[in-house]
């Protein structure tokens, strides 16, 4: 629909723009970058920036493309199940986010808290789940962007997969978490502006009647025009279960809680979650459901959004959709990249390799890790595409691989009776039994275990629900049987700043406070 030069130009323009914004903000603040600033953005982000960052980080390439595919396949129930199924997790996360701020105010990652709350084996196991989540999400983001570029411009898929992460890796490596927040704000504004344009064009160009009549005539019409679509219901349940893992085990969302002010944390997740709902709901309705109603033929449901955008406005529609997609890709990519960096630097390098590393050393290591993983993620996304795994397959299967840690992590943060044994075996066996149920149901229902049979809705559902049931029963059951109680107050002094000078000041302030308290008595 467009020449490949348009794709290269868009990548270049967006990359230069956000690098320039990052450098400008750093010079304006006249503040030298430290490891603590790089990792936590100074723990000073307000409600507005944090809300915008949550919206942008949760708006994946899949949010635009996969949601539209559900509208195209399941009718009017698709947009609702996608949006509602992935919105509730962000709203509920407000509770655990503020709990982490209260119980571990100086923590850098949720894994750092897990390492102090539980034993070493739990820390390592949950870390595997967290890194798996970040890698899968980043691979999905890059793959979705590369597929859209290839579909609309003909750009080589492999080149696109390597250039896309380069755009957000550079500015993230320079500015750290704060650069991600700033970019997220611009991206969120642009996504809503472009989304509004598509909505207005569909309504003014076609109206409601022809789309309604087209859906009514599709076989079976009852499933396209009602919320009682069985396929849509199955997808909705998979979406709800799977996305708990994509939020509660993803350091990117804990990172935004850590970076925000105490007074802004819970509000930001509630406002961000509610505002995010409108993005997939609207894009899936105007590009997905409308395409089905108008009888637009597409090569694959995953590509219905860019093809419908081109049908609406020609080359302009393609460029607008690519711009919106790049905004989503860069925001989520930068969020996941900072999450991976903080996990490796905090929970591997500082925890096990060099506990006495200086602030400057940690900052250098952080930037090297950011660059290395940013370049490596393009290779992983290409690997997924090469083995024939689609965007929708990875999206629905993600919960089976990562959601085993959701209940154990949440209980560890909020329940004093959570135990080491229950947490470890709950997460581990939840994963094992979930994969087993997934494969067994594919064999029983379809008659074979292949990528195609595993990608069916029923096997996906049984795999996802088994993960939650098994991990929850083991975690809660062992906690009740053991009847042990953990004192969360012992954790407050376990976490220290990355910056040596800040750490010394905090110790001195604590000593002065303690002396003043004794004097008052």
């Amino acid at each position: 629909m467009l020449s490949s030069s348009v794709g290269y130009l868009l990548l270049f323009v967006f990359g230069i723009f956000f690098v320039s914004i990052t450098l400008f903000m750093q010079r304006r603040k006249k503040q030298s970058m430290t490891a603590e600033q790089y990792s936590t953005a100074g723990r000073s982000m307000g409600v507005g920036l944090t809300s915008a960052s949550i919206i942008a980080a949760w708006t994946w390439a899949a949010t635009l493309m996969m949601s539209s595919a559900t509208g195209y396949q399941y009718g009017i129930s698709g947009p609702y199940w996608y949006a509602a199924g992935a919105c509730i997790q962000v709203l509920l996360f407000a509770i655990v986010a503020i709990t982490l701020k209260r119980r571990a105010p100086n923590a850098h990652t949720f894994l750092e808290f897990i390492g102090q709350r539980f034993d070493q084996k739990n820390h390592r196991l949950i870390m595997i789940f967290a890194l798996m989540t970040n890698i899968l999400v980043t691979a999905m983001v890059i793959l979705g962007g590369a597929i859209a570029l290839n579909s609309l411009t003909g750009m080589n898929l492999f080149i696109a997969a390597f250039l896309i992460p380069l755009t957000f890796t550079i500015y993230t490596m320079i500015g750290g978490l704060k650069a991600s927040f700033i970019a997220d704000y611009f991206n969120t504004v642009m996504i809503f502006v472009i989304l509004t344009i598509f909505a207005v064009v569909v309504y003014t160009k076609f109206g409601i009647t022809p789309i309604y009549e087209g859906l009514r005539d599709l076989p079976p019409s009852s499933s396209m025009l009602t919320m009682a679509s069985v396929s849509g219901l199955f997808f909705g349940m998979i979406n709800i279960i799977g996305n708990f893992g994509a939020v509660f085990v993803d350091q990117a969302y804990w990172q935004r809680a850590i970076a925000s002010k105490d007074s802004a944390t819970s509000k930001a997740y509630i406002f961000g979650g509610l505002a995010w709902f409108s993005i997939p709901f609207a894009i899936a309705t105007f590009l997905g459901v409308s395409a089905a109603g108008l009888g637009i033929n597409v090569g694959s449901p995953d590509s219905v959004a860019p093809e419908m955008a081109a049908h609406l406005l020609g080359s302009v529609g393609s460029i607008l959709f690519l711009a919106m997609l790049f905004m989503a890709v860069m925001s989520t990519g930068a969020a996941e990249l900072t999450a991976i960096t903080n996990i490796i630097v905090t929970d591997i390098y500082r925890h096990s390799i060099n506990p006495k590393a200086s602030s400057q050393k940690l900052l250098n290591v952080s930037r090297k890790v950011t660059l290395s993983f940013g370049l490596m993620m393009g290779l992983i996304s290409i690997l997924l595409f090469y083995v024939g795994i689609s965007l929708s397959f990875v999206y629905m299967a993600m919960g089976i691989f990562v959601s085993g840690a959701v209940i154990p992590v949440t209980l560890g943060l909020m329940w004093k009776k959570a135990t080491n044994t229950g947490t470890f075996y709950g997460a581990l066996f939840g994963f094992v039994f979930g994969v087993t149920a997934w494969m067994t149901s594919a064999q029983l229902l379809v008659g074979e275990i292949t990528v195609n049979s595993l990608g069916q809705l029923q096997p996906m559902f049984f795999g996802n629900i088994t993960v939650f049931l098994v991990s929850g029963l083991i975690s809660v059951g062992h906690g009740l049987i053991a009847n042990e109680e953990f004192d969360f107050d012992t954790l407050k002094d376990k976490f220290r700043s990355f910056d040596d000078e800040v750490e010394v000041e905090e110790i001195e302030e604590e000593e002065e406070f303690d002396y003043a308290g004794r004097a008052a008595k």
Side-chain angles (χ1 to χ4, degrees):
M1 301 176 189
L2 300 169
S3 66
S4 58
S5 59
V6 175
Y8 288 109
L9 181 62
L10 283 172
L11 284 172
F12 178 77
V13 169
F14 282 121
I16 293 297
F17 174 75
F18 285 109
V19 169
S20 301
I21 289 292
T22 302
L23 292 173
F24 172 76
M25 293 300 295
Q26 283 193 341
R27 289 182 180 178
R28 184 184 175 189
K29 292 291 183 182
K30 296 180 180 180
Q31 185 179 17
S32 59
M33 180 63 70
T34 66
E36 187 73 9
Q37 281 283 338
Y38 192 92
S39 171
T40 68
R43 305 179 193 269
S44 60
M45 297 294 102
V47 175
L49 268 179
T50 307
S51 298
S53 186
I54 291 165
I55 295 168
W58 200 216
T59 305
W60 305 351
T63 304
L64 306 178
M65 299 181 71
M66 182 67 187
S67 64
S68 299
T70 63
Y72 187 79
Q73 291 173 297
Y74 311 133
I76 62 171
S77 68
Y80 174 79
W81 281 122
Y82 190 101
C87 175
I88 187 172
Q89 297 86 352
V90 179
L91 299 177
L92 291 175
F93 193 80
I95 301 171
V96 296
I98 198 65
T99 304
L100 179 71
K101 297 280 285 184
R102 187 175 69 250
R103 291 182 170 166
N106 293 317
H108 300 86
T109 67
F110 81 98
L111 292 167
E112 193 177 17
F113 174 87
I114 293 295
Q116 295 292 341
R117 171 68 171 86
F118 297 114
D119 55 18
Q120 190 74 8
K121 70 177 186 296
N122 271 296
H123 181 248
R124 290 172 180 169
L125 179 64
I126 302 301
M127 190 191 306
I128 293 172
F129 279 104
L131 288 173
M132 192 187 306
T133 303
N134 293 135
I135 290 170
L136 283 175
V137 170
T138 311
M140 271 198 296
V141 166
I142 296 171
L143 183 59
I147 289 172
L149 266 176
N150 177 261
S151 173
L152 291 175
T153 71
M155 182 189 290
N156 183 280
L157 193 74
F158 296 89
I159 295 175
F162 281 104
L163 290 180
I164 287 172
L166 196 62
T167 57
F168 58 77
T169 297
I170 294 174
Y171 75 76
T172 305
M173 186 178 66
I174 296 171
L177 186 60
K178 192 162 189 177
S180 176
F181 270 80
I182 294 168
D184 288 347
Y185 185 83
F186 284 99
N187 291 344
T188 301
V189 171
M190 287 303 299
I191 287 171
F192 274 107
V193 169
I194 297 172
L195 187 60
T196 303
I197 292 173
F198 283 135
V200 171
V201 170
V202 169
Y203 187 78
T204 56
K205 192 173 183 178
F206 300 107
I208 298 174
T209 303
I211 296 173
Y212 172 82
E213 291 176 348
L215 291 172
R216 184 187 58 193
D217 296 335
L218 285 174
S221 60
S222 59
S223 67
M224 298 296 286
L225 283 171
T226 177
M227 293 298 293
S229 167
V230 176
S231 298
L233 181 61
F234 264 109
F235 172 79
M237 290 186 287
I238 294 170
N239 200 33
I240 292 171
I241 298 168
N243 278 311
F244 268 102
V247 174
F248 281 66
V249 193
D250 190 339
Q251 170 59 24
Y253 300 96
W254 296 94
Q255 201 69 42
R256 274 139 185 77
I258 290 167
S260 64
K261 298 177 182 177
D262 292 348
S263 59
T265 304
S266 58
K267 294 178 183 177
Y269 281 92
I270 293 171
F271 295 161
L274 292 174
W276 177 87
F277 178 95
S278 62
I279 294 176
F281 186 80
I283 198 78
T285 300
F286 289 112
L287 297 187
V289 176
S290 296
L294 294 171
I296 307 296
N297 292 318
V298 297
S300 165
D302 284 351
S303 63
V304 65
E307 294 189 36
M308 182 61 180
H311 180 77
L312 289 174
L313 292 170
S315 297
V316 175
S318 297
I319 293 173
L320 286 175
F321 182 80
L322 276 180
M324 183 166 61
L325 189 77
F326 284 153
M327 298 294 182
V329 167
M330 286 194 295
S331 291
T332 309
E336 298 301 317
L337 200 54
T338 55
I340 292 173
T341 299
N342 282 320
I343 289 173
I344 292 175
V345 172
T346 303
D347 297 284
I348 297 178
Y349 184 78
R350 195 191 191 205
H351 183 268
S352 303
I353 299 174
N354 190 358
K356 296 182 180 180
S358 65
S359 176
Q360 188 59 45
K361 180 67 175 177
L362 291 171
L363 178 60
N364 292 336
V365 171
S366 296
R367 283 177 166 158
K368 289 177 182 177
V369 171
T370 300
L371 179 61
S372 301
F373 266 86
L375 298 177
M376 190 179 75
M377 288 314 302
L379 184 63
I380 296 175
S381 64
I382 286 298
L383 182 63
L384 288 177
F385 181 81
Y386 185 75
V387 298
I389 297 178
S390 68
L391 196 65
S392 58
F393 182 95
V394 180
Y395 181 83
M396 291 193 292
M398 182 174 56
I400 299 173
F401 292 105
V402 304
S403 292
V406 171
I407 295 178
V409 167
T410 306
L411 292 177
L413 182 66
M414 306 189 69
W415 192 37
K416 61 184 177 181
K417 290 188 177 183
T419 62
N420 284 301
T421 302
T423 299
F424 182 82
Y425 289 107
L428 180 61
F429 286 151
F431 166 72
V432 172
F433 278 87
V435 172
T436 303
W438 181 33
M439 293 186 174
T440 302
S441 57
Q443 178 65 48
L444 294 175
L445 295 172
V446 185
E448 59 180 359
I449 299 177
T450 62
V451 172
N452 183 57
S453 65
L454 291 172
Q456 301 297 314
L457 287 174
Q458 289 87 347
M460 286 286 189
F461 169 73
F462 289 122
N464 275 277
I465 194 68
T466 300
V467 171
F468 253 69
L469 291 175
V470 172
S471 64
L473 285 172
I474 295 175
S475 301
V476 175
H478 192 272
L480 293 174
I481 293 170
N483 199 27
E484 300 172 1
E485 291 192 0
F486 182 82
D487 184 5
F488 287 105
D489 290 335
T490 61
L491 296 179
K492 289 187 177 180
D493 298 327
K494 298 287 186 179
F495 310 98
R496 296 294 183 187
S497 167
F498 282 162
D499 298 344
D500 298 330
E501 300 81 5
V502 175
E503 185 172 340
V504 171
E505 291 172 3
E506 287 177 348
I507 293 172
E508 290 175 350
E509 288 174 0
E510 287 173 3
E511 290 175 349
E512 291 173 2
F513 177 81
D514 186 55
Y515 176 80
R518 288 199 303 267
K521 290 179 181 179

